[in-house]
Amino acid sequence: TLVEDYFLTIEAAITAAKTDTTNPRRGPYVLLISSANMFTVEKALTRVPQQGATQQSSALDMVRSVIAYDGWTGTRGGKSTTYPGVTSGKGYLISLQYQDQDFQSYLKQDLMQDGEQMDASRFMTQLIYDTYFGVYANPTRAVEEITWPTPE
């Protein structure tokens, strides 16, 4: 069935991530998917307590969470911005094994006050508060791309 094909695809992606000689990703994992594939992935990751069922694998325990992301459009800094989501038929198996090294955020400049209180009696003040952040991500080392099977 399509649900079993999805489950076998997840198992194959976990096996490929673990056996990669350049960037081995041993898990645990998070699945990033499109909401169009969400219900089939949920069914594939549901444990079926029946004899003879093919979905009795430790891969079910390795996937810690599933995130459906279809993108975002909004305004940032006065500019209209669009972030594309995960396309239907694709998924990303993200390893959390080295998450502290693969996904980092930095505080470049702590919150600081700049300016002066020129004449506080007439509310003539100029105070500016700012901070700077930076981020680093290494998807080559942490992510395995998945192509979902199509229904026949």
Side-chain angles (χ1 to χ4, degrees):
T1 65
L2 183 62
V3 173
E4 289 173 333
D5 289 344
Y6 267 58
F7 179 73
L8 294 174
T9 302
I10 293 169
E11 272 189 339
I14 290 172
T15 302
K18 284 183 169 191
T19 59
D20 188 354
T21 56
T22 308
N23 296 307
R25 299 168 297 277
R26 294 182 178 86
Y29 303 100
V30 171
L31 261 176
L32 182 65
I33 61 170
S34 169
S35 65
N37 305 112
M38 183 173 62
F39 297 123
T40 311
V41 170
E42 281 180 354
K43 290 175 189 172
L45 291 175
T46 302
R47 191 173 299 275
V48 181
Q50 297 176 358
Q51 286 184 330
T54 59
Q55 296 176 337
Q56 303 296 323
S57 171
S58 64
L60 295 172
D61 298 327
M62 296 178 125
V63 177
R64 296 285 169 92
S65 62
V66 178
I67 301 170
Y69 180 69
D70 291 326
W72 179 81
T73 300
T75 303
R76 295 187 66 151
K79 292 174 124 181
S80 179
T81 306
T82 300
Y83 295 108
V86 179
T87 58
S88 179
K90 289 284 183 189
Y92 300 94
L93 186 71
I94 303 167
S95 175
L96 300 177
Q97 180 183 11
Y98 300 113
Q99 69 183 1
D100 293 340
Q101 297 169 8
D102 295 336
F103 305 103
Q104 299 175 7
S105 64
Y106 297 101
L107 180 64
K108 290 183 172 182
Q109 173 184 313
D110 202 3
L111 183 64
M112 64 181 247
Q113 173 184 346
D114 191 19
E116 57 188 52
Q117 293 191 2
M118 298 152 72
D119 187 356
S121 65
R122 293 188 295 172
F123 300 107
M124 295 179 66
T125 61
Q126 180 181 1
L127 296 176
I128 299 169
Y129 294 94
D130 63 358
T131 185
Y132 298 113
F133 292 98
V135 294
Y136 168 77
N138 190 354
T140 304
R141 200 172 111 163
V143 179
E144 182 78 23
E145 187 177 48
I146 299 172
T147 302
W148 299 117
T150 55
E152 295 177 5

